[in-house]
Amino acid sequence: MSRPNLALVGATGAVGTVMRDIVSTREDIWGEIRLVASPRSAGKTLKVRGEDVVVRALAPEVFDGIDIAIFDVPDEVSAEWVPIAAARGAVAIDKSGTFRMQPDVPLVVPEVNPHAAADRPRNIISTPNCTTLSMMAAMGALHAEYNLQELVVASYQAVSGAGVAGTARLYDEVEALAGDRGIGQVAGDVRKALDNKLAEESPFPAPIAFNVVPWAGSFKEGGWASEEIKLRDESRKILGIPGLKVSATCVRVPVVTTHSLAVHARFEREITVADAHRVLAAAPTVVLMDDPEKGVWPTPAAVVGTDPTYVGRVRQAIDFPNTLDLFVCGDNLRKGAALNAAEIAELVARESLSA
Amino acid sequence: MSRPNLALVGATGAVGTVMRDIVSTREDIWGEIRLVASPRSAGKTLKVRGEDVVVRALAPEVFDGIDIAIFDVPDEVSAEWVPIAAARGAVAIDKSGTFRMQPDVPLVVPEVNPHAAADRPRNIISTPNCTTLSMMAAMGALHAEYNLQELVVASYQAVSGAGVAGTARLYDEVEALAGDRGIGQVAGDVRKALDNKLAEESPFPAPIAFNVVPWAGSFKEGGWASEEIKLRDESRKILGIPGLKVSATCVRVPVVTTHSLAVHARFEREITVADAHRVLAAAPTVVLMDDPEKGVWPTPAAVVGTDPTYVGRVRQAIDFPNTLDLFVCGDNLRKGAALNAAEIAELVARESLSA
């Protein structure tokens, strides 16, 4: 097979923008890179690998000659178009929630379960939710040696997880409130000020500037948010632990990009901080930033825009055997989305090239 | 005893300001209310109960004739002055960390362990750390019926927990960065922009605008932050559960006031969401805000400046028996600090009045 042709579907969104950057800066193994978006964005010219490419409207023919198509589009668009791309011969790598939990679609994080990508009866591969992905490289490395059994997770999720509208909203709210040095001290004053100053509806269900919002996704049985259920189900599937116990609380915070997670993880085997440091320092896409006495731990603002999963605040739980508490940061648009999809595409491309 | 005389030591700080408001608006059971602060603030005139009161400099004589003295001062100031006030006959109610874990000093949350306030051999009563306090009314109510055994907590802590300097810093950072609609998307750009624009040193170890910072307090053995250890040790003492298992990760967020906590709590007895709703709805200082399908859960911006502990997102953990996940918000300057101290003072005052 010659150099494979790649289609990026959803090339104009928050993840699509990062995706174009990623395929332009990583090793170039691609033939054509075709940009695809909704008819609204078709005809726009965007840069990929330093060259101008005209965006094409999503249609069955855009997949002709394409070997691999990466989809970053809403669930319902994926549901319709991913099977069309797959039927036309492309390996479809899908970022949406549509196919992730289907038993005949692998859910892949290349550092953790690369083998799963090869078993794709429907020609579809899913890439996980950004919140799950933010911790997978780190937890996968620890699991490989110590056998993970329980996860209790609280998230600190960036606004760009809700797309370009989420990012714009945080900037809008901060601009609207900046300079008011009394804001955030009286119940409801933030909402009232925003209602007065901003005409557009927010993609978030509450003010996000000077606030945290304990909700991400849609309503699920038992009062769970869909993002919390995804974190549980996807972690089980990626790590290959059907009985993994998971509880998560997902919270949106006024950070532009990079999700953080406070993770309480119990393993089958005894594990010390030194053990975890050894494993994490050796994991190729994980960066250990853990020297709290010297003020070293990751924060979103310090690591945003980069590829690795950052881990700090590793502590042996005082009261829980075989358990670590730790803090993880990962760029939700890169490893959490575009980068993981690009890595899967490279995995598939290399497998085809070597076949 | 006639109406007791009250001294507020540290009357000019973030908590002191709220304390003056609280004693001015709650039922007035006090004789004199004396304001005390460092010599630097002495001579200032501040309003209490609608009247101007001149602030006095901290000195042994300021406790003459005082029945109850509330201290909100740094640990080392408490260490020196709390015993002096107690020796001069005042019941000293201390907000600092100095005496909290001493076995002959009760650590009191009036809703949870009011009886403990009466047993004070040194004439000193401690009030808990604001992070612990933010969840105590709720967890105490649940514990009373279901017997709490384990807590895994992740905090979303407001900047005013670090005093007026913390609040000023967040406003400063937001003002310095507002209008830059690309900030927070490149590693280190927030810090660089702040270094260029703000001359003063931050009370936080990293940028707090457009960021979250996984550190609160000082360094403790095993990589723990002092705030995380306080949450463990103080919860055990207040709830009277010496074997309570606790793991916490404390994270500062860009919220002015009101701490939030994601809590994963295992009980001895089976507990459903309906059980928890019943208990929490009946707890006098707890407000249940839990209807996520209708977008009802607490956020800091919605409840700041009010007295109750707010609880939402109550879920039965899917994979953990007898376990709830929930989200709690409490104003760290009110219930988390000034209000709890005022409530202890009222408890002591009423006990004396009825003696």
Side-chain angles (χ1 to χ4, degrees), chain A residues 150-156 167-172 174-175 177-191 205-207 209-216 219 222-225 228-229 232 236 243-251 253-257 260 262-264 273 291-293 295 297-306 313-321 323 325-327 331, chain B residues 150-156 167-172 174-175 177-191 205-207 209-216 219 222-225 228-229 232 236 243-251 253-257 260 262-264 273 291-293 295 297-306 313-321 323 325-327 331:
Chain A
E150 294 181 9
L151 280 176
V152 180
V153 177
S155 76
Y156 303 74
T167 301
R169 181 70 192 189
L170 176 58
Y171 289 136
D172 287 346
V174 166
E175 271 182 55
L177 301 174
D180 180 347
R181 299 181 71 93
I183 200 77
Q185 302 191 29
V186 175
D189 69 342
V190 171
R191 185 186 282 271
F210 293 108
N211 205 17
V212 301
V213 181
W215 191 259
F219 179 83
W224 294 89
E228 293 156 353
I229 299 295
R232 170 179 180 268
R236 290 175 156 207
L244 183 66
K245 298 182 177 183
V246 184
S247 260
T249 298
C250 288
V251 180
V253 296
V255 164
V256 179
T257 294
S260 305
V263 180
H264 175 84
V273 171
D291 190 353
E293 209 164 1
W297 15 254
T299 74
V303 307
V304 59
T306 65
R313 302 296 328 278
V314 182
R315 292 147 289 159
Q316 201 162 10
I318 300 171
D319 302 317
F320 299 83
T323 302
D325 290 278
L326 44 87
F327 189 77
D331 186 312
Chain B
E150 293 181 11
L151 281 175
V152 181
V153 177
S155 76
Y156 303 73
T167 301
R169 180 69 191 190
L170 176 58
Y171 288 136
D172 286 345
V174 166
E175 272 183 54
L177 301 174
D180 181 346
R181 298 180 71 92
I183 201 77
Q185 301 190 31
V186 175
D189 68 343
V190 171
R191 184 186 282 272
F210 295 107
N211 207 16
V212 299
V213 181
W215 190 259
F219 179 84
W224 294 90
E228 293 156 353
I229 298 296
R232 171 179 180 267
R236 290 175 155 207
L244 182 66
K245 296 181 179 185
V246 184
S247 260
T249 298
C250 287
V251 179
V253 297
V255 164
V256 179
T257 293
S260 306
V263 180
H264 175 83
V273 171
D291 190 354
E293 210 164 2
W297 15 251
T299 74
V303 306
V304 60
T306 66
R313 301 298 326 281
V314 181
R315 292 147 289 160
Q316 202 162 9
I318 300 170
D319 302 317
F320 299 84
T323 302
D325 289 277
L326 44 88
F327 190 76
D331 185 313

Side-chain angles (χ1 to χ4, degrees), chain A residues 126-215:
Chain A
S126 263
T127 174
N129 178 272
C130 52
T131 313
T132 312
L133 260 177
S134 301
M135 65 171 178
M136 267 305 114
M139 298 321 294
L142 292 169
H143 170 58
E145 267 196 58
Y146 292 92
N147 205 0
L148 187 64
Q149 309 227 306
E150 294 181 9
L151 280 176
V152 180
V153 177
S155 76
Y156 303 74
Q157 294 184 225
V159 295
S160 64
V164 287
T167 301
R169 181 70 192 189
L170 176 58
Y171 289 136
D172 287 346
E173 291 195 6
V174 166
E175 271 182 55
L177 301 174
D180 180 347
R181 299 181 71 93
I183 200 77
Q185 302 191 29
V186 175
D189 69 342
V190 171
R191 185 186 282 271
K192 195 183 281 184
L194 295 176
D195 284 350
N196 286 337
K197 294 190 178 183
L198 298 179
E200 307 82 37
E201 256 201 38
S202 173
F204 304 111
I208 188 64
F210 293 108
N211 205 17
V212 301
V213 181
W215 191 259

Side-chain angles (χ1 to χ4, degrees), chain B residues 39-246:
Chain B
R40 191 163 36 87
S41 298
K44 272 191 190 170
T45 299
L46 294 173
K47 284 245 188 271
V48 182
R49 298 185 291 190
E51 286 166 25
D52 287 333
V53 176
V54 177
V55 176
R56 295 175 59 171
L58 187 52
E61 310 79 58
V62 300
F63 300 106
D64 290 348
I66 290 295
D67 299 291
I68 299 173
I70 298 177
F71 282 80
D72 183 66
V73 293
D75 285 7
E76 63 281 9
V77 180
S78 276
E80 182 181 352
W81 288 94
V82 162
I84 292 173
R88 288 179 99 95
V91 176
I93 298 167
D94 185 43
K95 183 76 197 76
S96 83
T98 307
F99 300 97
R100 285 185 199 139
M101 295 314 297
Q102 298 195 4
D104 52 2
V105 173
L107 181 64
V108 175
V109 180
E111 298 94 321
V112 181
N113 61 343
H115 53 280
D119 182 16
R120 47 174 193 269
R122 293 173 64 186
N123 231 11
I124 302 171
I125 300 171
S126 263
T127 176
N129 178 273
C130 51
T131 312
T132 311
L133 260 176
S134 301
M135 66 169 178
M136 267 306 112
M139 299 321 295
L142 293 168
H143 169 59
E145 267 196 59
Y146 292 92
N147 204 1
L148 186 65
Q149 308 224 306
E150 293 181 11
L151 281 175
V152 181
V153 177
S155 76
Y156 303 73
Q157 293 183 225
V159 294
S160 63
V164 287
T167 301
R169 180 69 191 190
L170 176 58
Y171 288 136
D172 286 345
E173 291 194 7
V174 166
E175 272 183 54
L177 301 174
D180 181 346
R181 298 180 71 92
I183 201 77
Q185 301 190 31
V186 175
D189 68 343
V190 171
R191 184 186 282 272
K192 197 184 279 181
L194 294 176
D195 285 349
N196 286 337
K197 292 188 179 183
L198 298 179
E200 306 80 39
E201 259 203 33
S202 174
F204 303 111
I208 188 65
F210 295 107
N211 207 16
V212 299
V213 181
W215 190 259
S218 56
F219 179 84
K220 298 289 169 190
E221 202 191 323
W224 294 90
S226 56
E227 196 96 343
E228 293 156 353
I229 298 296
K230 285 177 185 175
L231 195 141
R232 171 179 180 267
D233 294 346
E234 295 179 14
S235 295
R236 290 175 155 207
K237 183 167 177 177
I238 297 159
L239 295 168
I241 318 171
L244 182 66
K245 296 181 179 185
V246 184

